[in-house]
Structures are given as C-alpha cells and as structure tokens.
Amino acid sequence: MSDARTGLSFLMLAAGAGERLGLGPMDFLELAGRPLLCWLADKAMQVADEVLVVVPADRVDATAALLPGCRVMAGGATRQDSIAVLATQARGEWLLVHEAARPFASLALFRQVIDKARQCGCAGAFLSPAVPVARLRDGRVVEAYAGSEVGIFQTPQVYARADMDRMLQLRDAVPGWHAESPVQRALAAGIDLHAVPGEAHNIKITTSEDWEIAQHLGHLLA
C-alpha cells in the first residue's frame, strides 16, 4: 500500500433519488457498460485505505454486491446527514468527500487535492469560470468579480479528521441551517480551505442535459 493512501477514507455520496434527472437513482445508471458507482469505486480504491458509500436504504444490499471492496450503508435524510453518517463510520484521519454524480474526476485530480490537504489541512477542487461573475440580490447586481478571483465548487474535497469533527459540531449547534456544500460549513467553522484547480469535464450529473453530456464523455471512464 502506498503512503499516499495511508489514513485516508473515501466518502462517496450516492444517496440521492435522482428526481431532477427522472431516471431513478443516477449513481446506478450505466455508462460505457457499467454503473457510475463502479467506475468511481475503481478510482477510489486506488487513492484511499477504505471506501465508504451511502445509498438509498433500499439499495444497500444491491450496492454491496456491486462494490465488494467498499463499505455500503444507508444515507441520511439530507446531504449533510449523509456526510455525518460516513464521517462517523470512517476510520481515517483524512476524509475525502466526493459525489458519485461526478464520475469523471480524474485520478490526477484526486491525488492533487489529497496532496494539498496533507500539506495545508483541508483542500478542495474549484473550477475557474474563466469569465467575470456577479453576485445578485433580488434581481440586481450588487458586486462583480474577475474570473480569476472565484471558483465553482467541485468535489473531491479532503478534510482533516479534526476539522470535519468541528464542522459536524457546527451542524449540530445550528439546527435548520442548510449548507449546500461542506465548504460552507468549513468556512463557517473558521477552517482554512485551500483551492486546487478543478476540471471542466468533472461535471455533476443532475439534469437530463447533464446526462446527455455524460454519454459523450463516457470514453473518459475507461
């Protein structure tokens, strides 16, 4: 086992119902002849000591059969609940969070984010929009940023165990606060998070348009 994998738990989020896509749980859809989960698990086992996966409760047994090298469990009611389930069960001192709906993230990106986190404490992939962006409020532009000053959230994200514990404590201390990404909780907890350049093909499959694009990118999985 390589040093890079030591102490790292890969937390895979695959508990969504895929309602926006309308084809059932998206992580079980097939690309290039295999379910998305299988392609991602192959990569996960190359970078981590252990791989933990949350899926809908009625898919636990089927997923465990698909992914014999992984620990499979039922997800929580929300994305943040699912992260808490995974983090609580993980044994590693480093926790890599990744969405199964992003199967095209490269091994190189995983390793870059892991390396940066080991150097700095926490790190995540962020894609530069390459164009200026604006912050909006009530339909009005209130602030503008150069493309070089902002990044679009992606996964993987890697957190030190102690920092993830702080994030989970914040989750319990502020009931009802909804964070779309662990990044928001990290920042709210005062945790420094370092950015690694993301990948344009590291798309999140959410809509039917995303699924069409994914089918054209299938060759990147093999």
Side-chain angles (χ1 to χ4, degrees):
M1 183 176 297
S2 67
D3 290 341
R5 293 173 55 183
T6 303
L8 180 74
S9 297
F10 192 112
L11 313 185
M12 189 189 306
L13 297 166
E19 294 176 353
R20 291 175 63 185
L21 183 57
L23 297 175
M26 69 185 69
D27 309 308
F28 298 86
L29 298 178
E30 291 194 1
L31 272 181
R34 300 177 73 203
L36 297 180
L37 277 171
C38 294
W39 289 114
L40 187 53
D42 287 351
K43 297 176 185 177
M45 287 188 282
Q46 293 181 63
V47 300
D49 273 341
E50 63 172 358
V51 181
L52 296 83
V53 186
V54 286
V55 297
D58 61 351
R59 297 266 183 159
V60 170
D61 291 341
T63 306
L66 271 178
L67 308 177
C70 304
R71 295 167 58 196
V72 182
M73 57 204 73
T78 68
R79 173 189 174 90
Q80 298 304 314
D81 290 339
S82 289
I83 292 174
V85 168
L86 289 166
T88 300
Q89 295 296 317
R91 296 185 285 259
E93 286 304 308
W94 296 95
L95 306 178
L96 186 156
V97 178
H98 191 68
E99 301 160 309
R102 292 185 184 272
F104 299 108
S106 70
L107 277 172
L109 181 61
F110 284 119
R111 288 169 175 149
Q112 288 163 14
V113 175
I114 293 167
D115 288 346
K116 178 61 73 173
R118 288 187 185 275
Q119 294 167 17
C120 303
C122 298
F126 292 83
L127 181 67
S128 171
V131 295
V133 299
R135 184 163 66 89
L136 307 178
R137 181 182 299 139
D138 299 326
R140 293 177 54 249
V141 175
V142 296
E143 200 163 359
Y145 302 91
S148 60
E149 295 179 312
V150 296
I152 300 168
F153 292 17
Q154 291 188 338
T155 59
Q157 298 161 11
V158 178
Y159 300 90
R161 161 71 68 177
D163 288 326
M164 177 62 77
D165 289 345
R166 287 170 59 192
M167 292 158 61
L168 295 179
Q169 290 169 7
L170 175 65
R171 166 182 172 271
D172 295 334
V174 189
W177 181 54
H178 173 70
E180 296 181 18
S181 168
V183 170
Q184 293 164 284
R185 291 197 181 274
L187 296 176
I191 295 166
D192 286 335
L193 184 70
H194 294 259
V196 171
E199 297 172 331
H201 60 262
N202 183 20
I203 65 169
K204 182 177 181 180
I205 303 172
T206 304
T207 66
S208 57
E209 290 80 8
D210 299 328
W211 181 237
E212 289 181 15
I213 293 170
Q215 292 176 80
H216 289 291
L217 295 175
H219 65 281
L220 295 177
L221 294 170

